Amino acid sequence: MTTTTKPATPVAAPAARRLGPGALALRQGRMEISQFLRSRESVVFTMGFPIIMILIFSSIFHGEIGGGVKFTQYFITGMIATGLMTVSFQNLGIWIPIERDRGVLKRYRGTPMPKWVYFAGKVIMVVVIGVYETVLLLLAAVLLFDLKLPDTAAKWFTFGWVAALGVTACTLGGIAISSLARTARSGSAVVTPVALILQFISGVFFVFTELPGWMQQVAALFPLKWMCQGLRSVFLPDSFGAQEPAGSFELGRVALVLALWCVIGLVLCLTTFRWTTKRDG
């Protein structure tokens, strides 16, 4: 008597669990943060530059700038603003062209992953690195230069919305300006001069009211000036508002201009962003 053995019935592999939109964005964000941290140049320049600059300038300039305000207390506002602009506008404006030139964006576009997930990952990276950078800068200023932190909930709230609107505007601006770079190498050449000029005319390195009038008017067209002004209302006495060009900190106008730049940046991103280089067609 012979027995036949039935072939084993193949067991279906369990279907891979699909990630929801939030999980996809978080996974992309973790990957972006890991890539950022693996680039020593980006870490040193983006996170170290504001701290290095405040150490240099605070060692050179001593005393007060008027109204009982020390130079360090004034200078920290510009360094926070320029740090947030660096991690968003400058960082994205340089790295997106590199990814486009290497074909990374082209491969992303060819995958089933929703396109918005790529941008969500960039936003998560900007927010996380921006928070760490700001905390390190404030810690260094408090320990080394006796910086006075905001002492009311209202000022911390102002700090939050100014930083949020400013980072949003700069992030969208960085994504938009990335399309101007023809190659990976030209990204830095396109973005860095713009960032440096804005820093010099927006009251980052100097007291804003001491700059020429025409320079103040040009700076008022761009978000960095308004980020600095909004942060001055947080870290400087309320009485210092009288020394601003308009005689007050103009927080309503700060919110309006930054929100307007968010809209402008979004429109530019939607109309100009390219997934491939011109040679790819």
Side-chain angles (χ1 to χ4, degrees):
M1 179 177 179
T2 60
T3 59
T4 59
T5 304
K6 293 183 178 181
T9 304
V11 179
R17 184 170 61 90
R18 291 186 177 182
L19 296 177
L24 279 174
L26 289 175
R27 186 177 66 176
Q28 185 72 15
R30 287 195 296 269
M31 186 186 72
E32 294 286 351
I33 293 171
S34 298
Q35 289 179 344
F36 175 86
L37 295 177
R38 284 199 294 266
S39 174
R40 295 181 181 179
E41 296 84 359
S42 296
V43 173
V44 172
F45 181 79
T46 303
M47 303 189 70
F49 176 76
I51 297 176
I52 293 172
M53 292 304 296
I54 197 172
L55 290 173
I56 293 174
F57 273 75
S58 299
S59 300
I60 297 174
F61 299 101
H62 302 281
E64 299 180 353
I65 62 173
V69 176
K70 295 192 300 183
F71 179 80
T72 306
Q73 196 75 24
Y74 187 97
F75 190 58
I76 191 68
T77 60
M79 283 295 95
I80 293 173
T82 199
L84 294 176
M85 185 187 73
T86 299
V87 74
S88 53
F89 175 80
Q90 196 164 352
N91 184 60
L92 296 181
I94 291 174
W95 273 101
I96 290 178
I98 294 175
E99 293 178 341
R100 182 184 296 118
D101 203 50
R102 292 176 176 173
V104 175
L105 298 190
K106 186 177 181 179
R107 291 194 294 272
Y108 270 127
R109 192 176 65 168
T111 66
M113 185 184 76
K115 294 181 178 63
W116 66 264
V117 173
Y118 170 77
F119 299 105
K122 296 292 186 187
V123 171
I124 291 173
M125 182 274 294
V126 166
V127 171
V128 171
I129 300 301
V131 169
Y132 273 104
E133 177 188 49
T134 302
V135 170
L136 288 175
L137 181 59
L138 291 176
L139 184 61
V142 168
L143 294 178
L144 300 177
F145 301 103
D146 196 26
L147 173 74
K148 295 180 181 178
L149 295 175
D151 54 1
T152 65
K155 288 197 171 185
W156 280 113
F157 176 74
T158 300
F159 179 90
W161 69 255
V162 169
L165 283 176
V167 165
T168 301
C170 290
T171 298
L172 293 170
I175 295 172
I177 201 173
S178 70
S179 295
L180 294 179
R182 293 177 177 270
T183 64
R185 293 182 179 181
S186 62
S188 180
V190 170
V191 178
T192 302
V194 175
L196 286 176
I197 291 172
L198 289 178
Q199 289 171 28
F200 275 101
I201 69 175
S202 300
V204 172
F205 301 120
F206 310 101
V207 177
F208 184 73
T209 51
E210 294 180 358
L211 297 173
W214 67 267
M215 195 175 291
Q216 296 180 31
Q217 293 174 5
V218 172
L221 299 175
F222 300 97
L224 183 59
K225 179 264 184 188
W226 298 99
M227 290 173 63
C228 293
Q229 185 168 311
L231 292 175
R232 286 198 292 272
S233 74
V234 174
F235 288 89
L236 303 184
D238 294 336
S239 58
F240 196 87
Q243 300 188 34
E244 294 290 335
S248 70
F249 289 119
E250 298 183 289
L251 289 180
R253 181 170 292 183
V254 170
L256 179 62
V257 174
L258 291 179
L260 180 61
W261 267 104
C262 291
V263 175
I264 293 173
L266 179 59
V267 171
L268 290 175
C269 288
L270 294 175
T271 56
T272 66
F273 187 79
R274 294 184 291 109
W275 292 89
T276 59
T277 61
K278 292 184 177 180
R279 66 175 180 269
D280 293 327

